[in-house]
Structures are given as C-alpha cells and as structure tokens.
C-alpha cells in the first residue's frame, strides 16, 4: 500500500542540540492523524522540515510515493495563527486567494476564476460574508478559518496543520472537526499538530506521540495509552489514567 | 504664483524638484514593503554599509566617476544586507542588533579606508567623504535621467513581482510551500532596496535616503488598510516631500535642500500619526471618549431604573449622590444626568430630601 | 578574569603615560637633530620648512587636496602632535574638527601655536554669517602670509635661540620672494578686464584674495564646507553669473565639483555658456611634483588659472 505521507529518518539539530531524532512517520491515505507531545518536542519542526522550510540534518519525505519537492501541488500547509502579523493591510478574500498563487505561477495576477474558487473555499468554512473584511478585525476563530480556507482552495490531497484548534471558540472548533471529517470522506489525508490531549481520541483516527524521538504512532485505540503518554510527557501529565480510560470506554 | 511657475522655467528648481520627486517616489514605494517586513531600518544600514564600497571602488579604479562609485556602493550595501540576513538566521542575534552591528562595522571600516585614502598624497579624492552626505541642490539633468531610468526599472520590477512580494511579506513559510524560491525572492527585494538607496546616496546622502525608506511608508500605513493604496500613497508622500523640500529650499536662501525634505516628510508622518482617521491618535482618543460617554449614559440609566423599581412609583426621587455611589465608574453622575434630561429620559425634582 | 583585567588596565595607563615623556629628552638642535614640527595644513608645512631649514623636520597632518574644515585627527595624529617639539596650526576654526584637541594641548602647556595670532583684528575679515567669527583663509593675501612667516621665525627662534640668525636669513629671503609673488599676482589680475574680475567658486575661501587684489568673490557654500548649499543658493549664484556674463567659474581641489557643475548647468540653461575655468587650490597645496606643491607655486598657479579662465581672448566680447 502506498503511504500518503512517508517520512523517514527525519533528524533536525539546532546548534548541536537534537530537536528531532531519527523520526519515522507513515500515514495511509484517508487518515486523520494527531501529532502530540510536550512543548519543544519538535512537532512544528517536524512539519517544517518535511515541507522544506527547515533544512534537516537527515531525512526524506515521500508524498504518495514521490518526493515532496515534486508533489507540492498535492500538499497544503496551515501554519500556526501566530506566525503571521494579522495587522497586515489585506482582507479575507485576498488571503484565501494567496492559496492559489502556486497554481497561477510567476507574475500572473489572480482573476475572476480565482475569485470564484476563493469564495467557494470561504463558504466551506462559513466565512463568505467576511470576504471583504480586514483581517485585523477578525477574531481568533475567524482567523483560523481563513487559514483553513486558504489551504482548502489548493485542492490538495495531503494537509499539514499546526495547532488549528489552539485558542478558537467552540463553534469554530466544531466547524474544524466537521471540515476534517469531510476531508477524510473525500479520501484526503490530514496530519495535525494537536495541543489538546482530551480530544485526541474523539477527533482523530491515529496519533503520533513525539518527543524528539518517535515514541509511538498508529491507531488511537492501540497507541494512545497511559504508558506511551507517560513516556512522551515524562510524568508531566495529570489525568493520564483518565485520558487512557476515556478512550477505552 | 509666479514662484510656482518657476518650477518649470528655472533649471535648478526644476531639476532638483524632479530628482527629489523621483527619489521620493521610488524609495517611498519600496519602503512600504520594508515596513511590512519590519525592515524599515534596513535602509539606514544599507546607506551606511555603502561607504567602504565607495572607498574601495575609488582605491581600485582611482576614478570618481559616479557610475564607478555607485557600483561600489551597491555591492557593499548588498553584502551588508546579506550579512545581516545570515547573521540573523544563523546566530542568536536578533534582527535589530544585527542591523546595528553591520551598520557600525561597515561604516567604521569605510571611515578607516577614507582616512587611509586621505594620507595618500597622489590621491585626487576631493569630495569622496561628502559622497554619503549628498548635496541635493547640486542635482543636474544627467543625474535626474539616471534616477528616472533606474527608478522606473525598480518600480517596474516591484509591480511585476507584486503578488510574490505581497505573499513573501505576509507569510514567508507559506510562500515556500507553494513552491516559490523564498531566498531568491528575498534577495531580489533586498537588491531593489539597495539599488533605490544607492542612486540617491550621492545626490541626497545617507540620512535622506534612509528617511525616505522609513517615513513615507509609516505615514501611508495610517491612512489605509489596502496594500495597493498604501504603496501608492507612500510613493506619493515621498514624491510630495521631495518637491516641497526643493521648493522651500529655493524660496529661502541658506536652507539646505536634503534636510528640508526630511523635515517635510517628518511633518507628514507626525500629522498622519495624529490625525489619520481610524488609526490616528486623535481619532482613537475621540472614539474612546465617545464610547466612554455612551457607556456612562447606559450605566446611569440602568442605575436609575434599578432604584425606581424598588419603589411603587417611577417618580420617586433619589439624590444624585446615591447615583454617584452606585456607579462603578469614576466621575460624578451630574453631567450624565443632564444628558439624560435632554434626551427626555430623566427629570430632576426639587426635593426637601436634598440634592 | 579579574587579575587579567587589572593587568590590562595597568598596561593601558602605562601606554598613556609614555606619549608625554619624549619631550624632556630633547637635546641641542642641529641638522642631525632637527626640531620636530607638526603642521596641520600643507601650506603651513611648506612655510615651516622654508623658514626653518635645515634645522627642522616637518610632518604635515593633511596631505594635498585634503579639506581642513572636515579633517578629523586620528589617534596617530594626536600621538604625533604630543611627541613633537612644536605644533603649528592655522586657527580661526579652519581645522574645525580639531579645536578641542588644540585646546587640550594648550592646557597641557605643550608648544602649540596658531598662525592666526599673527594678525590684528583689522587684518582679518569678519564672517558675514556669525559676528565675532572670522574668515580663516588668510593665506590668500600674500602680505598676510608674510606676517605669518615672521611668526614662524619668531617661534623657531624662541625654541632654538642658537640658530636664530639662520631663521632670520631664511625669513628675509622668503619675504623678498613673497613681495615678487605679490607683484606678479597683481600683474596677472590686471590682465582681466575690470568687469570680469569676479571669482565664483565652491566655498567662501577667497575673501582675502578678493580684498587684496581687487577681485569680487562669490562662493556657493559658506566659509566652511561643513554646510550644505540650498537650492536657492545655487539659483542665486547662477542668476548672478548669467546676469554679469562671467565667462568662467571655478572648482576647488579639495571639494567635490558637483556644486559648481550644477551652477554651470543652470547658467547654461539661462542661455549663457559659462565654462569651468579650472581647478583652484583652495584649502590645500597640490600634489608633490605638480606646480602647486609649494605655497608660492600654489598662489601663482591660482592666479594663472584665474586669468586664463576670465581673460582669455575667446571669452572676450561674450
């Protein structure tokens, strides 16, 4: 079976300190996988290194059997909300349209067709009335939805998302979950860096526990265990038993 | 009014105004992108980093031809910008520290080279050290043509790569995932900065060029939330400052042109920070004050209602002081009560109970 | 860390003390042990060499084509001056960025002398910008330079009374040369038609020349090159040149030519074809080997340039 995401031997060192060490991750198509771990575990680094934004010391990434560099058009990235200055002078529609710049290529400006595609993506996240709103006037949840729309508009097969549930309101959280379910139904693969251990088993099919090294990965049922969590978080997680009890119930 | 027509009829005023306008337009427009990428002071750093380039160009070629010195300045400025970038990515040093370090190191090195040149008895180096400080009033037509040509090229490229630069300025990581070569785009934008600054260096000097990268863009940001409008407005502010500076300097003898331009553009910034609608300081204060007023009206009205609901009749009077105590906001209720009275929502009653 | 730091500081203090100690070792003056003189401008260096030979060894801080208004002394310069027997500078803020250094040295009772002290207030031109300040470019009046030469002879004689006669001899010879030079300049200037005796140049350096030889003088920048000319200044000067139909304007060796070139373009735009008459030596001598590497050579070269620019036949009748 061809993996949708096949990361091997990913190693990233920052000034002689290992941030990621020999990490493998294989994800089958149509799977929603959560990547969890404590702060500084290398979760964002894993995504950035896989997408070529950071130069790894070692490692390879195959998307649907081909190297990532050849598959850019099939991969969409949703970075952390905080990675961008939301005071930038632009509106919602413009940000979503940016997702189409790859398709447009050099120099070509977005036109009517792109506008239609962008509005469609906005309606998928319930933000089409906000198309002309300045992004500085958006709430956290609205910002997250705009970022998601920007990824959706790319019509990718594989999605990498970095903490999309961080700091959003309940409505947005439900909307994002619905979106993920939809993507899965369409056979897309989504890897999500997730901060909330309480919701891992509810929202995701698989989980990867990461703390510089891969501690475990696989179906939530078998891998999201008390023992694995303890190893990953080094005893820093309360309610570990409650969490693992939750998913067995 | 005859003075205004002088702009077209008098060679000096026409040339200086045109040159300053074009420089302001180019640097102002590009400055918009610098501002959004938080690289506004890069202009200052590049201006100062250019000095050793000028000295070395002179040492190597013995020529003071503007083109030779310009190329030297551009190369040195470019290297300085590149070093700032790599120091920031490879070490713990933050961007503003790296900027400060490069600026000082390069400029210091340039001064050492100039002193060395001065000692050489055969050197015909007159005016080399004033290269960086410029003399805007000494612009001639040939200079203006060079500025026009290069400025047009810079603006053309900025327009050509418009969406790429916008993307790069907003979200560089995302830009990379779309397949755009981020380092190359970054270097291209930096090169445009370097070129725009260097053409202005020998005509108007370091201080003016670094001002033109920072100030018009900062002012323009205050007036709009659309990127396109901001860049155009920034260019306009730069151009207007250039022309006005030339005109004022022409009107009053003994006023140097470059510094006048700086004063005018600074005035524009100050005015924009204070008075721009939406983002301007004055308008923000006004909005806050209005919002506060509305809040107080509502609060006092609610308090009055609460008091009245504890008695059988709404006519039951209460002393003002009670309202003062009830309200959790600072300030007496007197003024607000007057407003409510005007609105017909509350009525003062003379009562033996006391006011 | 601490002991190394104190050792370092100790060494620095010691190094600081060194520079003052050389002078007390001064022995009798001879041509093998000459008076060590440090002069600021190349003109002064030339003057001291002429008056003091063969008993002086002169080090000039500023080479040819160096602008004394903007010259910043380096650490090496300061050490040189501290170690010298005598330091001679021009004064009246010509060496604008070294004023503090001179004040400091004077307070330390070093042998520091300003040539400007040779002059009575009536000799000097007052600055039109700042009352109480004077135009420092006195050397363009050859007779004033003669007074400065006497001052140099007096300084050297005081320091080295043994050879006072030699210095007096050198002075007499030089004064004779200056007199001939002064006359030559007058002859040259008189070749210029009266109405064209106007010297337009980069900064107000030639006030004394103008007063001494009857030439009207106009500079683009003020007395010091540290100022920046404004658009109005360029316009005024261009209007002046075009109106008076002055055939030539001049650039200076130690200043960027851009200002005067801009004036030229403006004048041409008004329909009058003004030429750049040549390069004048303003605040420094010319390069060694050129015809202007001595004071006398320099003032003569200037006068000749002036004449060829303003009085040449091709320019007459324009």
């Amino acid at each position: 079976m061809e993996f949708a995401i096949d990361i091997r031997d990913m190693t990233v060192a920052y000034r002689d300190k290992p941030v990621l060490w020999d990490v493998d991750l294989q994800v089958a198509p149509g799977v929603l996988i959560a990547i969890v771990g404590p702060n500084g575990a290398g979760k964002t680094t894993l995504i950035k290194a896989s997408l070529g934004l950071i130069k790894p010391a070692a490692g390879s990434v195959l998307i649907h059997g081909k190297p990532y560099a050849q598959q850019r058009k099939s991969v969409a990235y949703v970075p952390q909300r905080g990675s961008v200055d939301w005071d930038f002078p632009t509106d919602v529609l413009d940000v979503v349209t940016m997702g189409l710049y790859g398709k447009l290529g050099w120099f070509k400006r977005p036109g009517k067709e792109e506008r239609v595609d962008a509005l469609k993506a906005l309606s998928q996240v319930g933000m089409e009335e906000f198309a002309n709103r300045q992004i500085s006037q958006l709430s956290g949840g609205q910002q997250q939805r705009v970022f998601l729309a920007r990824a959706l508009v790319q019509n990718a097969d594989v999605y990498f998302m970095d903490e999309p549930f961080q700091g959003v309101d309940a409505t947005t959280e439900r909307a994002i979950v619905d979106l993920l379910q939809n993507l899965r139904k369409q056979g897309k693969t989504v890897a999500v860096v997730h901060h909330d251990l309480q919701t891992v088993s509810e929202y995701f099919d698989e989980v990867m526990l990461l703390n510089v090294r891969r501690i475990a990965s696989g179906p939530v049922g078998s891998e999201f265990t008390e023992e694995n969590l303890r190893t990953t978080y080094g005893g820093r997680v309360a309610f570990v038993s409650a969490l693992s009890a939750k998913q067995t119930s | 009014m005859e003075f205004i027509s002088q702009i077209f009829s008098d060679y000096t005023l026409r040339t200086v105004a045109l040159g300053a306008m074009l420089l302001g337009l180019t640097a102002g427009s590009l400055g918009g992108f610098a501002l959004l990428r938080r690289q506004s002071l890069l202009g200052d750093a590049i201006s100062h980093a250019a000095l050793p380039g000028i000295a070395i160009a002179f040492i190597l070629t013995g020529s003071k031809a503007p083109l030779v010195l310009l190329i030297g300045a551009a190369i040195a400025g470019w290297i300085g910008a590149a070093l700032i970038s790599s120091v920031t990515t490879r070490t713990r040093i933050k961007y503003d520290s790296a900027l400060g370090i490069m600026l000082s190191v390069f400029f210091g090195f340039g001064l050492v080279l100039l002193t060395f040149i001065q000692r050489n008895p055969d050197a015909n180096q007159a005016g080399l050290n004033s290269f960086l400080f410029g003399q805007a009033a000494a612009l001639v037509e040939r200079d203006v043509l060079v500025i026009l040509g290069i400025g047009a090229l810079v603006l053309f490229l900025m327009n050509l790569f418009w969406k790429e630069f916008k993307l790069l300025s907003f979200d560089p990581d995302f830009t990379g995932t779309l397949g755009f070569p981020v380092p190359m785009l970054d270097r291209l934008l930096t090169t445009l900065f370097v070129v725009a600054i260097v053409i202005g260096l020998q005509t108007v000097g370091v201080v003016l060029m670094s001002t033109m990268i920072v100030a018009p863009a900062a002012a323009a940001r205050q007036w709009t939330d659309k990127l396109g409008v901001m860049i155009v407005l920034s260019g306009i502010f730069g151009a207007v400052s250039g022309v006005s500076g030339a005109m004022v300097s022409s009107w009053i003898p003994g006023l140097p042109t470059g510094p006048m331009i700086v004063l005018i553009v600074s005035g524009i910034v100050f005015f924009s920070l204070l008075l721009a609608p939406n983002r301007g300081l004055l308008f923000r204060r006004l909005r806050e004050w209005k919002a506060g007023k509305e809040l107080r009206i509502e609060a006092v009205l609610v308090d009055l209602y609460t008091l009245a609901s504890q008695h059988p009749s709404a006519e039951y009077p209460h002393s003002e002081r009670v309202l003062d105590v009830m309200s959790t906001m600072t300030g007496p209720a007197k003024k607000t009560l007057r407003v409510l009275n005007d609105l017909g929502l509350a009525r003062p009653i003379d009562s033996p109970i006391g006011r | 860390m601490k002991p190394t730091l104190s050792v370092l500081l100790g060494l620095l203090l010691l190094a600081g003390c060194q520079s003052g100690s050389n002078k007390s070792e001064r022995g009798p003056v001879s041509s093998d042990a000459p008076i060590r003189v440090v002069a600021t401008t190349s003109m002064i260096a030339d003057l001291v060499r002429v008056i003091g030979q063969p008993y002086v060894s002169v080090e000039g801080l500023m080479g040819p084509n160096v602008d004394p208004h903007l010259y910043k002394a380096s650490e090496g310069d300061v050490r040189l001056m501290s170690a010298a027997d005598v330091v001679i500078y021009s004064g009246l803020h010509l060496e604008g960025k070294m004023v503090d250094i001179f004040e400091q040295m004077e307070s330390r009772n070093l042998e520091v002398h300003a040539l400007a002290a040779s002059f009575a207030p009536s000799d000097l031109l007052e600055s039109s910008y700042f009352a109480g300040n004077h135009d420092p470019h006195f050397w363009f009046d050859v007779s004033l330079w003669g007074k400065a030469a006497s001052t140099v002879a007096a300084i050297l004689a005081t320091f080295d009374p043994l050879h006072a006669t030699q210095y007096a001899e050198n002075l007499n010879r030089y004064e004779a040369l200056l007199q001939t030079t002064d006359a030559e300049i007058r002859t040259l200037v008189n070749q210029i038609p009266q109405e064209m005796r106007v010297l337009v140049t980069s900064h107000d350096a030639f006030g004394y020349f103008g007063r001494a030889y009857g030439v009207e003088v106009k500079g683009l920048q003020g007395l010091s090159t540290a100022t920046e000319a404004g658009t109005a200044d360029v316009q005024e000067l261009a209007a002046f040149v075009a109106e008076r139909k002055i055939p030539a304007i001049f650039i200076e060796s130690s200043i960027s030519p851009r200002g005067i070139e801009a004036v030229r373009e403006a004048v041409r735009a008004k329909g009058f074809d003004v030429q750049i008459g040549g390069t004048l030596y303003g605040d420094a001598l010319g390069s060694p080997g050129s015809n202007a590497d001595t004071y006398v050579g320099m003032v003569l070269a200037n006068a000749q340039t002036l004449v060829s620019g303003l009085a040449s036949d091709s320019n007459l009748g324009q």
Side-chain angles (χ1 to χ4, degrees), chain C residues 1-10:
Chain C
M1 205 35 190
K2 273 219 199 94
T4 327
L5 197 61
S6 36
V7 168
L8 214 64
L9 280 171

Side-chain angles (χ1 to χ4, degrees), chain B residues 307-320:
Chain B
L307 287 171
S309 59
Q310 291 165 2
H311 299 270
S313 157
E315 302 278 305
Y316 196 94
H318 300 86
S319 129
E320 255 181 52

Side-chain angles (χ1 to χ4, degrees), chain A residues 15 48 51 53 68 72 77 79 84-85 87-90 94-95 98-99 101-102 104-110 134-135 147 150 154, chain B residues 36 38 90-92 159-164 166-167 169-171 173-174 176-181 184-185 221 225-227 230 279:
Chain A
R15 275 199 277 272
K48 285 198 175 178
L51 296 178
L53 301 172
Y68 167 66
R72 282 191 200 273
Y77 175 44
V84 144
D85 179 11
D87 198 33
F88 197 87
T90 186
D94 199 21
V95 173
M98 286 185 199
Y101 283 6
L104 283 170
W106 289 102
F107 312 134
K108 207 164 149 235
R109 301 275 178 104
Q134 284 299 124
I135 60 177
F147 259 12
R150 184 176 71 169
Q154 295 177 251
Chain B
L36 292 172
R38 303 192 189 280
R90 283 175 221 251
T91 71
R92 277 188 208 270
N159 185 47
L160 185 65
F161 287 92
W162 180 263
K163 78 169 193 293
E164 286 79 5
K166 174 166 68 169
L167 191 56
S169 307
F170 179 59
D171 195 345
D173 281 342
F174 187 73
T177 64
L178 289 180
F180 289 105
M184 177 232 127
L185 281 174
R221 184 68 188 90
D225 281 323
K226 291 200 198 340
L227 181 65
M230 179 186 143
R279 292 174 79 103

Side-chain angles (χ1 to χ4, degrees), chain C residues 47-91:
Chain C
L47 182 63
V48 176
R49 275 190 204 109
V50 166
I51 302 293
Q53 60 170 326
Y55 301 116
V56 290
S57 140
V58 184
E59 186 85 44
L61 290 182
M62 305 176 201
N65 304 325
V66 172
D67 185 342
H69 296 287
L70 301 177
Y71 184 83
K72 284 193 268 268
S74 68
E75 169 67 29
D77 290 343
V78 175
R79 249 185 287 132
L80 204 64
M81 286 191 281
S82 305
D85 295 318
V86 180
V87 174
I88 301 181
Y89 66 101
S90 195

